[in-house]
């Protein structure tokens, strides 16, 4: 049930979306007439800014290039009770906003994810090569690392409550932001719920800003970086095991030779094996130390979450 005093913000990060932004704004105005629609123009070379203004949105410019930079500014600047973030390319139907908001109002989730993949519409509509493969790779990697079962990690249609928005440090500068938000929610035990949504491909003449290879590599690097930071013991233990196993394999012929003749003739192999095993031990120790630090940082973050709730309850 909607509270008449609640504030809903529609967040539309945009770069060169003059063909679609007007329709997206109108669609959300029709579905949520009381909501405030914010368009953050990320240095568009076309008429995105002017068209968004003409359709009644609150329009601002974000000079730092990249979707992550836009989202960082949006989260910091905009005050609301609930937030809906959607791409400005008209690939996501606005009507799912009611389901997303109701989940947030019922406090069933801090972040609601619009799942494009489960009903097959993304596979049917999307014409870009390797995107299905990339989505599956990212999803399976994150689910394995964080023992989760998310269906769509990189969707651009999401809903958030104020608690999530105002306590998330946005670090990614570009299209890795969706991956970062998903991992942040999993790592810090925010409530997550997914709903199936339809997806439609961009209209003819509207071009995607995604580059499959370069943006895909950035997403993979983001996963590795966040994996290292949030699960340092597992990350460095994997490296320690890898180097130790290689060291043992290199050292076995040396040990066999020494057992037979009492001499070490393969001196380079012996030195290499020793170095690899020592390196593995160093990775293991680094993992132990960094895991202690990460645990302490999580404790401090959770305490900050408690303080944030207390401050807002006082208001």
């Amino acid at each position: 049930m909607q509270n008449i005093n609640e504030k809903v913000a529609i967040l539309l990060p945009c770069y060169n979306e003059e063909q679609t932004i007007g329709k997206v704004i109108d669609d959300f105005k029709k579905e949520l007439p009381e909501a405030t629609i914010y368009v953050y123009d990320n240095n568009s070379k076309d008429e995105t800014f002017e068209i968004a203004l003409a359709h009644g949105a609150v329009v601002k410019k974000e000079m730092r290039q990249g979707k992550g930079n836009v989202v960082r500014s949006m989260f910091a600047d905009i005050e609301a009770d609930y937030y809906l973030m959607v791409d400005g390319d008209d690939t996501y139907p606005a009507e799912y906003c009611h389901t997303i908001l109701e989940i947030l109002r019922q406090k069933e989730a801090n972040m609601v994810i619009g799942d494009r993949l489960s009903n097959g519409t993304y596979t049917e509509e999307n014409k870009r090569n390797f995107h299905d493969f990339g989505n599956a790779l990212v999803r399976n990697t994150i689910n394995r690392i964080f023992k989760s079962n998310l269906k769509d990690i990189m969707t651009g249609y999401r809903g958030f409550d104020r608690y999530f928005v105002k306590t998330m440090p946005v670090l990614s500068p570009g299209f890795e932001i969706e991956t970062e938000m998903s991992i942040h929610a999993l790592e810090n035990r925010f409530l997550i719920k997914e709903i199936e949504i339809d997806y439609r491909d961009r209209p003819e003449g509207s071009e995607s800003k995604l580059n499959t290879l370069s943006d895909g590599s950035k997403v993979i690097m983001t996963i590795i970086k966040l994996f290292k930071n949030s699960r340092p013991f597992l990350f460095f233990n994997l490296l320690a095991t890898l180097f130790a196993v290689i060291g043992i394999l290199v050292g076995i012929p040396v040990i066999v030779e020494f057992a037979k003749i009492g001499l070490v003739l393969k001196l380079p192999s012996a030195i290499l094996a020793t170095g690899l095993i020592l390196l593995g031990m160093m990775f293991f120790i680094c993992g132990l130390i960094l895991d202690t630090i990460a645990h302490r940082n999580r404790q401090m973050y959770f305490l900050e979450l408690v303080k944030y709730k207390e401050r807002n309850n006082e208001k």
Side-chain angles (χ1 to χ4, degrees):
M1 184 68 66
Q2 181 176 359
N3 184 331
I4 60 172
N5 294 319
E6 77 178 16
K7 296 180 181 179
V8 177
I10 312 296
L11 313 183
L12 304 178
C14 286
Y15 175 65
N16 290 346
E17 302 290 3
E18 65 178 6
Q19 285 195 317
T20 55
I21 188 60
K23 180 178 182 299
V24 174
I25 294 171
D26 292 343
D27 287 349
F28 275 99
K29 276 189 170 184
K30 178 182 176 182
E31 298 293 334
L32 295 170
E34 302 302 320
T36 304
I37 300 175
Y38 296 88
V39 172
Y40 273 48
D41 177 55
N42 197 201
N43 300 311
S44 293
K45 305 298 190 296
D46 59 11
E47 302 298 315
T48 297
F49 188 96
E50 291 76 12
I51 293 172
L53 272 179
H55 283 259
V58 177
V59 189
K60 297 186 179 181
K61 285 188 176 290
E62 171 54 57
M63 305 308 295
R64 295 168 296 180
Q65 200 66 40
K67 185 175 181 180
N69 290 322
V70 176
V71 173
R72 185 186 305 114
S73 293
M74 285 179 155
F75 281 12
D77 297 346
I78 299 170
E79 301 293 332
D81 299 302
Y82 305 109
Y83 302 77
L84 295 175
M85 187 174 76
V86 64
D87 294 337
D89 55 8
D90 195 32
T91 54
Y92 299 99
E95 54 263 29
Y96 291 98
C97 63
H98 303 291
T99 305
I100 293 174
L101 282 174
E102 193 56 32
I103 292 172
L104 295 172
R105 290 182 186 121
Q106 297 299 322
K107 301 188 184 303
E108 296 176 23
N110 302 112
M111 178 172 70
V112 182
I113 295 174
D115 170 18
R116 314 158 293 171
L117 304 179
S118 294
N119 62 12
T121 55
Y122 184 80
T123 302
E124 293 173 5
E125 292 287 327
N126 186 269
K127 307 299 190 298
R128 293 176 285 280
N129 295 329
F130 302 113
H131 277 213
D132 279 336
F133 172 78
N135 277 312
L137 176 63
V138 171
R139 180 182 67 247
N140 294 335
T141 302
I142 290 176
N143 283 336
R144 186 176 294 272
I145 292 172
F146 293 93
K147 296 180 174 60
S148 58
N149 190 33
L150 296 181
K151 303 295 191 300
D152 192 351
I153 300 291
M154 303 175 69
T155 178
Y157 199 172
R158 295 171 187 255
F160 316 97
D161 62 8
R162 181 182 176 83
Y163 181 50
F164 182 89
V165 166
K166 295 303 180 181
T167 59
M168 179 181 172
V170 178
L171 303 178
S172 299
F175 280 102
E176 321 92 280
I177 180 61
E178 281 92 359
T179 305
E180 182 185 359
M181 287 190 290
S182 299
I183 293 177
H184 175 77
L186 290 169
E187 171 64 17
N188 294 292
R189 303 173 189 173
F190 284 97
L191 294 173
I192 305 172
K193 190 164 184 177
E194 291 183 295
I195 63 165
E196 290 188 14
I197 63 170
D198 291 332
Y199 176 90
R200 56 196 178 215
D201 204 14
R202 284 171 167 269
E204 187 175 351
S206 175
E207 296 184 1
S208 172
K209 317 307 180 300
L210 290 172
N211 182 291
T212 302
L213 294 179
S214 65
D215 288 319
S217 64
K218 290 176 185 177
V219 169
I220 295 298
M221 289 305 299
T222 297
I223 293 173
I224 294 173
K225 186 186 303 181
L226 293 172
F227 177 30
K228 173 181 68 69
N229 292 340
S230 60
R231 297 284 193 275
F233 182 73
L234 178 58
F235 179 84
F236 285 100
N237 209 19
L238 289 173
L239 290 176
T241 302
L242 175 64
F243 279 94
V245 168
I246 295 174
I248 291 170
L249 292 175
V250 172
I252 285 176
V254 178
I255 296 171
V256 171
E257 181 183 63
F258 181 78
K260 286 181 178 179
I261 65 175
L263 295 172
V264 177
L265 300 179
K266 299 177 179 178
L267 189 60
S269 295
I271 295 173
L272 177 61
T274 303
L276 288 170
I277 292 174
L278 287 174
L279 195 57
M281 293 174 62
M282 290 176 60
F283 278 127
F284 179 76
I285 293 170
C286 284
L288 284 175
I289 295 171
L290 292 174
D291 187 64
T292 302
I293 295 172
H295 180 71
R296 178 59 177 166
N297 287 340
R298 280 194 294 273
Q299 288 179 324
M300 297 301 295
Y301 180 73
F302 288 137
L303 287 175
E304 287 299 319
L305 292 181
V306 171
K307 291 178 183 177
Y308 175 85
K309 278 192 171 182
E310 290 177 347
R311 288 195 300 269
N312 280 268
N313 288 336
E314 290 174 1
K315 294 178 182 179

